[in-house]
Amino acid sequence: MERTARALLINILKKNPNHPLASRMQMHIERLMQSRLEASDDASRKRGLPNEPTDGLDNAKRARLNVLPPPMLKIPPMAPGPASFDRLFTLTEDTGLSSFDVKQLPIDLVLKIVVPLLSQVHDSTLAQAVDAVRSRYQTITKDQTLQRQQQQTAAVQDEDDDYEPEYQPMEVASVVSEEASAVAAEVADLQPELVSLGPFVLPQPPPLSEEEAGEIGRNAVARVFGMLNAAETSPASAKGQTQQKLGFARLAGSTFDRDAWSVLLARLATRAPAGLENDQQTKGDAVRKQTTIADSIRETLYRFILEDFRGRLNIAIIWLNEEWYNDRIQMKSAANQRDDTEQDSEPTVPLNYDTWATRLLDGFLPYLDSRDIKVLVRFLSEVPEITIPITQRVASLAKDPERVNLCVQSLMYLIMFRPPAREMCLNTVEDVYQTYEESRPAAGKVLTKWRPQSTVLETAANEALSSSEAKPTTSES
């Protein structure tokens, strides 16, 4: 503040030296400078801090302050004799106190006496007592260690003095021969026993019955289905972590997602029991075929897919592809076996693709509506083979007038993009055209484009022509 006022007054005087208050301003500036110099001189003339203790208990002032120094505790030397806790912690020379048995007093009375006494004990007195006990303990431990070392040294010296070796010379060759003969005799005695033991082999476990084996297999399948449900409900992982390399050289079931577990289940049902189902088949209608693990897996897969066939259509396609591939491999193996053997009996192969494909169609076709064209077309386009039973199931959709377009469009897709099944699908379209009148407009367009020489179209055209000619005749009459 002083510097600011002085700078202001100096600037005013510089700009206007003839100011009427210039003399008073100059006097005030000098007064400010003088006060600043006096303050600096007073600071330099101050005395330093006195060299006194901070607690005010200097020896020169203790008499005036009436503060007594803490008393020095007189600690007697440790009583002679063997070391004990009693002698270690005894800090008084009063024989009455040292010989008094404190155990005679009740614990409540001891607490009432000890607690107030401890609160009145000075810190320095307590520290002196603890230091005395510590020094006694260190002295005792040093003495005991020194005595132990002296005893060990004396014992070693006594053993060295008492040692007197007895040496009796004897023939080395005879001793060696006797030892060798003794060892050979012992080996000869032990050798038959060692040979008689032989290798140890664990006993074979008891064989499982068919019921036990089936139960174990069903439990394993249930666990795999549990993993399939867990993979279906788990959130999708980060992009790029589960992407597998596409193409024919990719490894199936390597991503541990829903499709991977589906492939595992499908192959457990198809490839695992390959060649074993033939032995379980029985001839005749009297004996029924027992339910195998593969059939139980197929049945469980069938029910699992029908619970949500729109969301699990991919699992159905994977399963049917595995079934078709397994049927072809089994047929090829049976053909090779028939060529190798010249017996009259031919090996039979159970074909599962047609059975389960038609069962799946029978299961979800009743729940399709006209908006599910993509679901049906995808199923028909990705199954490995189109058979007559499959086309017949698709043709049954035309029974419902609202699903006629669904039926015709699905068959038209197969006609356009699956040439091996084109003739089969065209025959189905002709059957639909002849059977259901509601389907004739849509089915007629398909037949006109892909089979214009169809007799069905000619018959329908003749009927239409005859009906048109009959109408004027009836009107004239």
Side-chain angles (χ1 to χ4, degrees), residues 124-160:
S124 62
T125 305
L126 182 61
Q128 293 176 22
V130 172
D131 292 339
V133 174
R134 184 185 296 110
S135 63
R136 286 182 179 182
Y137 179 74
Q138 292 176 355
T139 304
I140 292 172
T141 53
K142 289 180 181 179
D143 294 341
Q144 291 178 354
T145 304
L146 183 60
Q147 292 177 3
R148 193 179 301 109
Q149 291 177 356
Q150 291 177 356
Q151 291 176 1
Q152 292 177 356
T153 305
V156 171
Q157 291 178 357
D158 293 340
E159 290 179 359
D160 293 340

PDB file of all heavy atoms in Angstrom, residues 124-160:
ATOM      1  N   SER A 124       8.989 -42.379  33.029  1.00  0.00           N
ATOM      2  CA  SER A 124      10.423 -42.656  33.141  1.00  0.00           C
ATOM      3  C   SER A 124      10.688 -43.818  34.096  1.00  0.00           C
ATOM      4  O   SER A 124      11.574 -44.647  33.866  1.00  0.00           O
ATOM      5  CB  SER A 124      11.154 -41.400  33.607  1.00  0.00           C
ATOM      6  OG  SER A 124      10.690 -41.017  34.900  1.00  0.00           O
ATOM      7  N   THR A 125       9.910 -43.905  35.175  1.00  0.00           N
ATOM      8  CA  THR A 125      10.080 -45.019  36.116  1.00  0.00           C
ATOM      9  C   THR A 125       9.752 -46.351  35.449  1.00  0.00           C
ATOM     10  O   THR A 125      10.467 -47.351  35.611  1.00  0.00           O
ATOM     11  CB  THR A 125       9.176 -44.805  37.340  1.00  0.00           C
ATOM     12  OG1 THR A 125       9.453 -43.524  37.919  1.00  0.00           O
ATOM     13  CG2 THR A 125       9.404 -45.882  38.380  1.00  0.00           C
ATOM     14  N   LEU A 126       8.656 -46.367  34.692  1.00  0.00           N
ATOM     15  CA  LEU A 126       8.288 -47.596  33.991  1.00  0.00           C
ATOM     16  C   LEU A 126       9.342 -47.980  32.954  1.00  0.00           C
ATOM     17  O   LEU A 126       9.691 -49.160  32.801  1.00  0.00           O
ATOM     18  CB  LEU A 126       6.920 -47.414  33.310  1.00  0.00           C
ATOM     19  CG  LEU A 126       6.359 -48.626  32.574  1.00  0.00           C
ATOM     20  CD1 LEU A 126       6.155 -49.796  33.527  1.00  0.00           C
ATOM     21  CD2 LEU A 126       5.035 -48.270  31.890  1.00  0.00           C
ATOM     22  N   ALA A 127       9.889 -46.985  32.244  1.00  0.00           N
ATOM     23  CA  ALA A 127      10.927 -47.273  31.254  1.00  0.00           C
ATOM     24  C   ALA A 127      12.182 -47.819  31.921  1.00  0.00           C
ATOM     25  O   ALA A 127      12.819 -48.749  31.402  1.00  0.00           O
ATOM     26  CB  ALA A 127      11.240 -46.010  30.455  1.00  0.00           C
ATOM     27  N   GLN A 128      12.553 -47.287  33.098  1.00  0.00           N
ATOM     28  CA  GLN A 128      13.723 -47.796  33.808  1.00  0.00           C
ATOM     29  C   GLN A 128      13.517 -49.252  34.238  1.00  0.00           C
ATOM     30  O   GLN A 128      14.427 -50.082  34.126  1.00  0.00           O
ATOM     31  CB  GLN A 128      14.012 -46.918  35.034  1.00  0.00           C
ATOM     32  CG  GLN A 128      14.457 -45.502  34.692  1.00  0.00           C
ATOM     33  CD  GLN A 128      14.645 -44.648  35.931  1.00  0.00           C
ATOM     34  OE1 GLN A 128      14.845 -45.177  37.036  1.00  0.00           O
ATOM     35  NE2 GLN A 128      14.578 -43.333  35.759  1.00  0.00           N
ATOM     36  N   ALA A 129      12.310 -49.579  34.704  1.00  0.00           N
ATOM     37  CA  ALA A 129      12.041 -50.951  35.133  1.00  0.00           C
ATOM     38  C   ALA A 129      12.094 -51.918  33.951  1.00  0.00           C
ATOM     39  O   ALA A 129      12.656 -53.020  34.038  1.00  0.00           O
ATOM     40  CB  ALA A 129      10.679 -51.018  35.817  1.00  0.00           C
ATOM     41  N   VAL A 130      11.520 -51.508  32.820  1.00  0.00           N
ATOM     42  CA  VAL A 130      11.537 -52.378  31.635  1.00  0.00           C
ATOM     43  C   VAL A 130      12.964 -52.577  31.135  1.00  0.00           C
ATOM     44  O   VAL A 130      13.364 -53.688  30.754  1.00  0.00           O
ATOM     45  CB  VAL A 130      10.633 -51.777  30.537  1.00  0.00           C
ATOM     46  CG1 VAL A 130      10.788 -52.550  29.239  1.00  0.00           C
ATOM     47  CG2 VAL A 130       9.177 -51.794  30.971  1.00  0.00           C
ATOM     48  N   ASP A 131      13.765 -51.520  31.147  1.00  0.00           N
ATOM     49  CA  ASP A 131      15.156 -51.652  30.709  1.00  0.00           C
ATOM     50  C   ASP A 131      15.942 -52.574  31.634  1.00  0.00           C
ATOM     51  O   ASP A 131      16.797 -53.358  31.180  1.00  0.00           O
ATOM     52  CB  ASP A 131      15.818 -50.274  30.669  1.00  0.00           C
ATOM     53  CG  ASP A 131      15.232 -49.393  29.574  1.00  0.00           C
ATOM     54  OD1 ASP A 131      14.643 -49.957  28.623  1.00  0.00           O
ATOM     55  OD2 ASP A 131      15.352 -48.152  29.672  1.00  0.00           O
ATOM     56  N   ALA A 132      15.657 -52.517  32.925  1.00  0.00           N
ATOM     57  CA  ALA A 132      16.353 -53.395  33.864  1.00  0.00           C
ATOM     58  C   ALA A 132      16.013 -54.855  33.606  1.00  0.00           C
ATOM     59  O   ALA A 132      16.896 -55.732  33.586  1.00  0.00           O
ATOM     60  CB  ALA A 132      15.990 -53.006  35.297  1.00  0.00           C
ATOM     61  N   VAL A 133      14.725 -55.146  33.377  1.00  0.00           N
ATOM     62  CA  VAL A 133      14.328 -56.532  33.093  1.00  0.00           C
ATOM     63  C   VAL A 133      14.936 -57.001  31.773  1.00  0.00           C
ATOM     64  O   VAL A 133      15.395 -58.145  31.648  1.00  0.00           O
ATOM     65  CB  VAL A 133      12.789 -56.640  33.062  1.00  0.00           C
ATOM     66  CG1 VAL A 133      12.356 -58.034  32.630  1.00  0.00           C
ATOM     67  CG2 VAL A 133      12.212 -56.325  34.438  1.00  0.00           C
ATOM     68  N   ARG A 134      14.988 -56.110  30.777  1.00  0.00           N
ATOM     69  CA  ARG A 134      15.563 -56.481  29.488  1.00  0.00           C
ATOM     70  C   ARG A 134      17.052 -56.803  29.620  1.00  0.00           C
ATOM     71  O   ARG A 134      17.547 -57.783  29.041  1.00  0.00           O
ATOM     72  CB  ARG A 134      15.352 -55.351  28.480  1.00  0.00           C
ATOM     73  CG  ARG A 134      15.848 -55.700  27.076  1.00  0.00           C
ATOM     74  CD  ARG A 134      15.737 -54.535  26.115  1.00  0.00           C
ATOM     75  NE  ARG A 134      14.364 -54.137  25.893  1.00  0.00           N
ATOM     76  CZ  ARG A 134      13.823 -53.004  26.331  1.00  0.00           C
ATOM     77  NH1 ARG A 134      14.567 -52.139  27.024  1.00  0.00           N
ATOM     78  NH2 ARG A 134      12.564 -52.713  26.103  1.00  0.00           N
ATOM     79  N   SER A 135      17.775 -55.982  30.358  1.00  0.00           N
ATOM     80  CA  SER A 135      19.210 -56.241  30.529  1.00  0.00           C
ATOM     81  C   SER A 135      19.457 -57.544  31.282  1.00  0.00           C
ATOM     82  O   SER A 135      20.376 -58.311  30.952  1.00  0.00           O
ATOM     83  CB  SER A 135      19.855 -55.069  31.258  1.00  0.00           C
ATOM     84  OG  SER A 135      19.296 -54.940  32.561  1.00  0.00           O
ATOM     85  N   ARG A 136      18.614 -57.841  32.279  1.00  0.00           N
ATOM     86  CA  ARG A 136      18.751 -59.114  32.987  1.00  0.00           C
ATOM     87  C   ARG A 136      18.523 -60.297  32.046  1.00  0.00           C
ATOM     88  O   ARG A 136      19.266 -61.282  32.065  1.00  0.00           O
ATOM     89  CB  ARG A 136      17.739 -59.176  34.139  1.00  0.00           C
ATOM     90  CG  ARG A 136      18.081 -58.310  35.339  1.00  0.00           C
ATOM     91  CD  ARG A 136      17.042 -58.502  36.411  1.00  0.00           C
ATOM     92  NE  ARG A 136      17.333 -57.713  37.612  1.00  0.00           N
ATOM     93  CZ  ARG A 136      16.589 -57.743  38.715  1.00  0.00           C
ATOM     94  NH1 ARG A 136      15.502 -58.511  38.753  1.00  0.00           N
ATOM     95  NH2 ARG A 136      16.922 -57.003  39.768  1.00  0.00           N
ATOM     96  N   TYR A 137      17.484 -60.186  31.211  1.00  0.00           N
ATOM     97  CA  TYR A 137      17.163 -61.292  30.295  1.00  0.00           C
ATOM     98  C   TYR A 137      18.287 -61.507  29.280  1.00  0.00           C
ATOM     99  O   TYR A 137      18.661 -62.649  28.978  1.00  0.00           O
ATOM    100  CB  TYR A 137      15.847 -60.987  29.572  1.00  0.00           C
ATOM    101  CG  TYR A 137      15.433 -62.060  28.589  1.00  0.00           C
ATOM    102  CD1 TYR A 137      14.932 -63.281  29.026  1.00  0.00           C
ATOM    103  CD2 TYR A 137      15.555 -61.846  27.217  1.00  0.00           C
ATOM    104  CE1 TYR A 137      14.567 -64.262  28.132  1.00  0.00           C
ATOM    105  CE2 TYR A 137      15.191 -62.826  26.318  1.00  0.00           C
ATOM    106  CZ  TYR A 137      14.696 -64.036  26.778  1.00  0.00           C
ATOM    107  OH  TYR A 137      14.342 -65.007  25.889  1.00  0.00           O
ATOM    108  N   GLN A 138      18.842 -60.432  28.761  1.00  0.00           N
ATOM    109  CA  GLN A 138      19.944 -60.572  27.812  1.00  0.00           C
ATOM    110  C   GLN A 138      21.168 -61.196  28.468  1.00  0.00           C
ATOM    111  O   GLN A 138      21.856 -62.032  27.869  1.00  0.00           O
ATOM    112  CB  GLN A 138      20.287 -59.196  27.228  1.00  0.00           C
ATOM    113  CG  GLN A 138      19.196 -58.620  26.331  1.00  0.00           C
ATOM    114  CD  GLN A 138      19.519 -57.221  25.854  1.00  0.00           C
ATOM    115  OE1 GLN A 138      20.542 -56.636  26.277  1.00  0.00           O
ATOM    116  NE2 GLN A 138      18.656 -56.668  24.997  1.00  0.00           N
ATOM    117  N   THR A 139      21.427 -60.825  29.699  1.00  0.00           N
ATOM    118  CA  THR A 139      22.572 -61.416  30.411  1.00  0.00           C
ATOM    119  C   THR A 139      22.368 -62.912  30.627  1.00  0.00           C
ATOM    120  O   THR A 139      23.288 -63.723  30.448  1.00  0.00           O
ATOM    121  CB  THR A 139      22.757 -60.707  31.758  1.00  0.00           C
ATOM    122  OG1 THR A 139      22.914 -59.305  31.533  1.00  0.00           O
ATOM    123  CG2 THR A 139      23.982 -61.241  32.488  1.00  0.00           C
ATOM    124  N   ILE A 140      21.150 -63.298  31.002  1.00  0.00           N
ATOM    125  CA  ILE A 140      20.870 -64.723  31.232  1.00  0.00           C
ATOM    126  C   ILE A 140      21.029 -65.525  29.942  1.00  0.00           C
ATOM    127  O   ILE A 140      21.628 -66.608  29.927  1.00  0.00           O
ATOM    128  CB  ILE A 140      19.455 -64.883  31.815  1.00  0.00           C
ATOM    129  CG1 ILE A 140      19.401 -64.299  33.229  1.00  0.00           C
ATOM    130  CG2 ILE A 140      19.039 -66.347  31.837  1.00  0.00           C
ATOM    131  CD1 ILE A 140      17.999 -64.234  33.799  1.00  0.00           C
ATOM    132  N   THR A 141      20.501 -65.015  28.828  1.00  0.00           N
ATOM    133  CA  THR A 141      20.607 -65.749  27.560  1.00  0.00           C
ATOM    134  C   THR A 141      22.057 -65.879  27.115  1.00  0.00           C
ATOM    135  O   THR A 141      22.470 -66.932  26.602  1.00  0.00           O
ATOM    136  CB  THR A 141      19.793 -65.026  26.482  1.00  0.00           C
ATOM    137  OG1 THR A 141      20.193 -63.650  26.418  1.00  0.00           O
ATOM    138  CG2 THR A 141      18.305 -65.097  26.786  1.00  0.00           C
ATOM    139  N   LYS A 142      22.855 -64.837  27.317  1.00  0.00           N
ATOM    140  CA  LYS A 142      24.269 -64.931  26.942  1.00  0.00           C
ATOM    141  C   LYS A 142      24.989 -65.976  27.785  1.00  0.00           C
ATOM    142  O   LYS A 142      25.786 -66.775  27.266  1.00  0.00           O
ATOM    143  CB  LYS A 142      24.937 -63.569  27.107  1.00  0.00           C
ATOM    144  CG  LYS A 142      24.510 -62.544  26.066  1.00  0.00           C
ATOM    145  CD  LYS A 142      25.226 -61.217  26.294  1.00  0.00           C
ATOM    146  CE  LYS A 142      24.796 -60.183  25.267  1.00  0.00           C
ATOM    147  NZ  LYS A 142      25.463 -58.871  25.485  1.00  0.00           N
ATOM    148  N   ASP A 143      24.711 -65.996  29.079  1.00  0.00           N
ATOM    149  CA  ASP A 143      25.361 -66.983  29.949  1.00  0.00           C
ATOM    150  C   ASP A 143      24.961 -68.403  29.567  1.00  0.00           C
ATOM    151  O   ASP A 143      25.805 -69.316  29.519  1.00  0.00           O
ATOM    152  CB  ASP A 143      24.989 -66.704  31.406  1.00  0.00           C
ATOM    153  CG  ASP A 143      25.552 -65.372  31.893  1.00  0.00           C
ATOM    154  OD1 ASP A 143      26.500 -64.867  31.242  1.00  0.00           O
ATOM    155  OD2 ASP A 143      25.031 -64.832  32.897  1.00  0.00           O
ATOM    156  N   GLN A 144      23.677 -68.608  29.278  1.00  0.00           N
ATOM    157  CA  GLN A 144      23.239 -69.952  28.905  1.00  0.00           C
ATOM    158  C   GLN A 144      23.861 -70.396  27.586  1.00  0.00           C
ATOM    159  O   GLN A 144      24.270 -71.554  27.431  1.00  0.00           O
ATOM    160  CB  GLN A 144      21.709 -69.981  28.807  1.00  0.00           C
ATOM    161  CG  GLN A 144      21.008 -69.841  30.150  1.00  0.00           C
ATOM    162  CD  GLN A 144      19.499 -69.834  30.003  1.00  0.00           C
ATOM    163  OE1 GLN A 144      18.982 -69.823  28.889  1.00  0.00           O
ATOM    164  NE2 GLN A 144      18.791 -69.841  31.138  1.00  0.00           N
ATOM    165  N   THR A 145      23.958 -69.502  26.621  1.00  0.00           N
ATOM    166  CA  THR A 145      24.584 -69.856  25.338  1.00  0.00           C
ATOM    167  C   THR A 145      26.057 -70.198  25.524  1.00  0.00           C
ATOM    168  O   THR A 145      26.566 -71.170  24.941  1.00  0.00           O
ATOM    169  CB  THR A 145      24.435 -68.688  24.355  1.00  0.00           C
ATOM    170  OG1 THR A 145      23.054 -68.352  24.225  1.00  0.00           O
ATOM    171  CG2 THR A 145      24.984 -69.055  22.991  1.00  0.00           C
ATOM    172  N   LEU A 146      26.746 -69.427  26.350  1.00  0.00           N
ATOM    173  CA  LEU A 146      28.164 -69.696  26.590  1.00  0.00           C
ATOM    174  C   LEU A 146      28.356 -71.034  27.289  1.00  0.00           C
ATOM    175  O   LEU A 146      29.253 -71.817  26.935  1.00  0.00           O
ATOM    176  CB  LEU A 146      28.757 -68.555  27.426  1.00  0.00           C
ATOM    177  CG  LEU A 146      30.255 -68.630  27.725  1.00  0.00           C
ATOM    178  CD1 LEU A 146      31.052 -68.642  26.423  1.00  0.00           C
ATOM    179  CD2 LEU A 146      30.686 -67.451  28.603  1.00  0.00           C
ATOM    180  N   GLN A 147      27.518 -71.349  28.265  1.00  0.00           N
ATOM    181  CA  GLN A 147      27.626 -72.632  28.957  1.00  0.00           C
ATOM    182  C   GLN A 147      27.356 -73.798  28.008  1.00  0.00           C
ATOM    183  O   GLN A 147      28.030 -74.830  28.059  1.00  0.00           O
ATOM    184  CB  GLN A 147      26.643 -72.664  30.131  1.00  0.00           C
ATOM    185  CG  GLN A 147      26.994 -71.713  31.266  1.00  0.00           C
ATOM    186  CD  GLN A 147      25.946 -71.729  32.365  1.00  0.00           C
ATOM    187  OE1 GLN A 147      24.987 -72.502  32.297  1.00  0.00           O
ATOM    188  NE2 GLN A 147      26.149 -70.872  33.389  1.00  0.00           N
ATOM    189  N   ARG A 148      26.367 -73.640  27.127  1.00  0.00           N
ATOM    190  CA  ARG A 148      26.052 -74.719  26.183  1.00  0.00           C
ATOM    191  C   ARG A 148      27.225 -74.970  25.234  1.00  0.00           C
ATOM    192  O   ARG A 148      27.573 -76.124  24.934  1.00  0.00           O
ATOM    193  CB  ARG A 148      24.797 -74.359  25.397  1.00  0.00           C
ATOM    194  CG  ARG A 148      24.206 -75.518  24.619  1.00  0.00           C
ATOM    195  CD  ARG A 148      22.954 -75.110  23.870  1.00  0.00           C
ATOM    196  NE  ARG A 148      21.928 -74.612  24.770  1.00  0.00           N
ATOM    197  CZ  ARG A 148      21.551 -73.340  24.859  1.00  0.00           C
ATOM    198  NH1 ARG A 148      22.130 -72.424  24.089  1.00  0.00           N
ATOM    199  NH2 ARG A 148      20.610 -72.965  25.704  1.00  0.00           N
ATOM    200  N   GLN A 149      27.852 -73.914  24.756  1.00  0.00           N
ATOM    201  CA  GLN A 149      29.008 -74.084  23.868  1.00  0.00           C
ATOM    202  C   GLN A 149      30.170 -74.752  24.597  1.00  0.00           C
ATOM    203  O   GLN A 149      30.858 -75.612  24.032  1.00  0.00           O
ATOM    204  CB  GLN A 149      29.434 -72.719  23.319  1.00  0.00           C
ATOM    205  CG  GLN A 149      28.435 -72.098  22.350  1.00  0.00           C
ATOM    206  CD  GLN A 149      28.870 -70.727  21.886  1.00  0.00           C
ATOM    207  OE1 GLN A 149      29.900 -70.198  22.356  1.00  0.00           O
ATOM    208  NE2 GLN A 149      28.094 -70.143  20.973  1.00  0.00           N
ATOM    209  N   GLN A 150      30.389 -74.384  25.850  1.00  0.00           N
ATOM    210  CA  GLN A 150      31.476 -75.007  26.604  1.00  0.00           C
ATOM    211  C   GLN A 150      31.214 -76.489  26.830  1.00  0.00           C
ATOM    212  O   GLN A 150      32.130 -77.319  26.728  1.00  0.00           O
ATOM    213  CB  GLN A 150      31.639 -74.284  27.951  1.00  0.00           C
ATOM    214  CG  GLN A 150      32.171 -72.860  27.828  1.00  0.00           C
ATOM    215  CD  GLN A 150      32.239 -72.155  29.166  1.00  0.00           C
ATOM    216  OE1 GLN A 150      31.811 -72.712  30.196  1.00  0.00           O
ATOM    217  NE2 GLN A 150      32.777 -70.918  29.164  1.00  0.00           N
ATOM    218  N   GLN A 151      29.958 -76.852  27.095  1.00  0.00           N
ATOM    219  CA  GLN A 151      29.643 -78.264  27.294  1.00  0.00           C
ATOM    220  C   GLN A 151      29.851 -79.066  26.012  1.00  0.00           C
ATOM    221  O   GLN A 151      30.374 -80.180  26.041  1.00  0.00           O
ATOM    222  CB  GLN A 151      28.195 -78.402  27.766  1.00  0.00           C
ATOM    223  CG  GLN A 151      27.959 -77.878  29.179  1.00  0.00           C
ATOM    224  CD  GLN A 151      26.499 -77.946  29.571  1.00  0.00           C
ATOM    225  OE1 GLN A 151      25.666 -78.399  28.780  1.00  0.00           O
ATOM    226  NE2 GLN A 151      26.190 -77.498  30.796  1.00  0.00           N
ATOM    227  N   GLN A 152      29.456 -78.510  24.874  1.00  0.00           N
ATOM    228  CA  GLN A 152      29.659 -79.221  23.614  1.00  0.00           C
ATOM    229  C   GLN A 152      31.141 -79.393  23.312  1.00  0.00           C
ATOM    230  O   GLN A 152      31.582 -80.459  22.867  1.00  0.00           O
ATOM    231  CB  GLN A 152      28.973 -78.457  22.475  1.00  0.00           C
ATOM    232  CG  GLN A 152      27.452 -78.454  22.564  1.00  0.00           C
ATOM    233  CD  GLN A 152      26.821 -77.635  21.457  1.00  0.00           C
ATOM    234  OE1 GLN A 152      27.535 -77.011  20.663  1.00  0.00           O
ATOM    235  NE2 GLN A 152      25.489 -77.623  21.423  1.00  0.00           N
ATOM    236  N   THR A 153      31.924 -78.370  23.574  1.00  0.00           N
ATOM    237  CA  THR A 153      33.367 -78.473  23.324  1.00  0.00           C
ATOM    238  C   THR A 153      34.004 -79.522  24.218  1.00  0.00           C
ATOM    239  O   THR A 153      34.843 -80.327  23.780  1.00  0.00           O
ATOM    240  CB  THR A 153      34.027 -77.107  23.553  1.00  0.00           C
ATOM    241  OG1 THR A 153      33.372 -76.131  22.738  1.00  0.00           O
ATOM    242  CG2 THR A 153      35.498 -77.153  23.204  1.00  0.00           C
ATOM    243  N   ALA A 154      33.596 -79.559  25.487  1.00  0.00           N
ATOM    244  CA  ALA A 154      34.153 -80.553  26.409  1.00  0.00           C
ATOM    245  C   ALA A 154      33.755 -81.963  26.007  1.00  0.00           C
ATOM    246  O   ALA A 154      34.556 -82.906  26.088  1.00  0.00           O
ATOM    247  CB  ALA A 154      33.675 -80.254  27.829  1.00  0.00           C
ATOM    248  N   ALA A 155      32.511 -82.149  25.521  1.00  0.00           N
ATOM    249  CA  ALA A 155      32.072 -83.485  25.107  1.00  0.00           C
ATOM    250  C   ALA A 155      32.860 -83.967  23.902  1.00  0.00           C
ATOM    251  O   ALA A 155      33.245 -85.139  23.811  1.00  0.00           O
ATOM    252  CB  ALA A 155      30.578 -83.461  24.792  1.00  0.00           C
ATOM    253  N   VAL A 156      33.118 -83.078  22.944  1.00  0.00           N
ATOM    254  CA  VAL A 156      33.898 -83.471  21.761  1.00  0.00           C
ATOM    255  C   VAL A 156      35.320 -83.849  22.153  1.00  0.00           C
ATOM    256  O   VAL A 156      35.894 -84.830  21.657  1.00  0.00           O
ATOM    257  CB  VAL A 156      33.882 -82.329  20.728  1.00  0.00           C
ATOM    258  CG1 VAL A 156      34.855 -82.625  19.592  1.00  0.00           C
ATOM    259  CG2 VAL A 156      32.474 -82.137  20.178  1.00  0.00           C
ATOM    260  N   GLN A 157      35.908 -83.104  23.056  1.00  0.00           N
ATOM    261  CA  GLN A 157      37.272 -83.422  23.493  1.00  0.00           C
ATOM    262  C   GLN A 157      37.318 -84.765  24.217  1.00  0.00           C
ATOM    263  O   GLN A 157      38.247 -85.552  24.035  1.00  0.00           O
ATOM    264  CB  GLN A 157      37.788 -82.307  24.403  1.00  0.00           C
ATOM    265  CG  GLN A 157      38.036 -80.992  23.668  1.00  0.00           C
ATOM    266  CD  GLN A 157      38.495 -79.895  24.604  1.00  0.00           C
ATOM    267  OE1 GLN A 157      38.580 -80.111  25.832  1.00  0.00           O
ATOM    268  NE2 GLN A 157      38.799 -78.728  24.040  1.00  0.00           N
ATOM    269  N   ASP A 158      36.302 -85.063  25.034  1.00  0.00           N
ATOM    270  CA  ASP A 158      36.275 -86.351  25.730  1.00  0.00           C
ATOM    271  C   ASP A 158      36.162 -87.504  24.749  1.00  0.00           C
ATOM    272  O   ASP A 158      36.809 -88.547  24.908  1.00  0.00           O
ATOM    273  CB  ASP A 158      35.108 -86.382  26.714  1.00  0.00           C
ATOM    274  CG  ASP A 158      35.313 -85.382  27.857  1.00  0.00           C
ATOM    275  OD1 ASP A 158      36.476 -84.977  28.076  1.00  0.00           O
ATOM    276  OD2 ASP A 158      34.306 -85.000  28.494  1.00  0.00           O
ATOM    277  N   GLU A 159      35.353 -87.352  23.700  1.00  0.00           N
ATOM    278  CA  GLU A 159      35.218 -88.420  22.708  1.00  0.00           C
ATOM    279  C   GLU A 159      36.520 -88.642  21.959  1.00  0.00           C
ATOM    280  O   GLU A 159      36.911 -89.775  21.665  1.00  0.00           O
ATOM    281  CB  GLU A 159      34.093 -88.070  21.730  1.00  0.00           C
ATOM    282  CG  GLU A 159      32.706 -88.127  22.365  1.00  0.00           C
ATOM    283  CD  GLU A 159      31.627 -87.746  21.382  1.00  0.00           C
ATOM    284  OE1 GLU A 159      31.989 -87.419  20.228  1.00  0.00           O
ATOM    285  OE2 GLU A 159      30.439 -87.776  21.757  1.00  0.00           O
ATOM    286  N   ASP A 160      37.222 -87.556  21.642  1.00  0.00           N
ATOM    287  CA  ASP A 160      38.506 -87.712  20.944  1.00  0.00           C
ATOM    288  C   ASP A 160      39.537 -88.412  21.829  1.00  0.00           C
ATOM    289  O   ASP A 160      40.359 -89.210  21.357  1.00  0.00           O
ATOM    290  CB  ASP A 160      39.030 -86.339  20.514  1.00  0.00           C
ATOM    291  CG  ASP A 160      38.137 -85.717  19.447  1.00  0.00           C
ATOM    292  OD1 ASP A 160      37.389 -86.480  18.793  1.00  0.00           O
ATOM    293  OD2 ASP A 160      38.162 -84.475  19.273  1.00  0.00           O
TER     294      ASP A 160
END
